[in-house]
Amino acid sequence: MINLRHIADRLSLEVCAAEQNLDTEVTGGYASDLLSYVMARAKEGNVWVSMQGHANVVAVASLVNLAGVIITEGTRPEPATLEKANQEGIPILATRLTTYDVVGRLYELGVGREDPAK
């Protein structure tokens, strides 16, 4: 299994919040900018890839019990987002990479695949 620390290191992600929880294991991934889709379709333990940086991202991640959130496209998380993420213990990672690139790289790392060796 892969944890957030490994993902952050391999993708050169900036850790913005809840660094103490980077050892959380990631069970899969979900990419969407629609909060309602994430609430309905993401699975517990997934890492969520989105370009959204507002505080509602943390509320959804906490509700679904996600491993963490990767904010893409150079979007900067709002200060309220970071404060809430630290309070809730939800790791927030950021990158200038596109959502497409991040998802592809996560797949290459084995996130979400049944057998990462394939």
Side-chain angles (χ1 to χ4, degrees):
M1 199 110 358
I2 296 172
N3 66 27
L4 288 172
R5 186 174 311 280
H6 180 75
I7 291 169
D9 289 345
R10 293 295 300 270
L11 274 62
S12 299
L13 303 175
E14 176 188 353
V15 179
C16 300
E19 185 172 2
Q20 73 277 10
N21 290 334
L22 290 182
D23 292 322
T24 301
E25 290 190 11
V26 175
T27 60
Y30 192 79
S32 180
D33 293 324
L34 295 173
L35 303 182
S36 60
Y37 273 51
V38 178
M39 288 188 291
R41 299 177 180 171
K43 306 283 189 257
E44 182 176 339
N46 283 179
V47 61
W48 175 17
V49 183
S50 176
M51 61 182 291
Q52 302 291 334
H54 51 76
N56 289 340
V57 167
V58 179
V60 170
S62 182
L63 177 72
V64 181
N65 200 22
L66 298 176
V69 180
I70 300 173
I71 300 176
T72 62
E73 314 267 347
T75 300
R76 299 301 309 159
E78 297 172 359
T81 303
L82 299 178
E83 183 178 335
K84 187 170 177 84
N86 281 318
Q87 289 172 355
E88 297 285 330
I90 303 291
I92 301 288
L93 308 161
T95 182
R96 292 195 172 280
L97 295 170
T98 67
T99 297
Y100 180 84
D101 284 336
V102 170
V103 170
R105 292 176 187 199
L106 289 173
Y107 185 81
E108 287 175 349
L109 289 176
V111 174
R113 288 195 281 170
E114 292 296 318
D115 182 4
K118 288 184 180 178

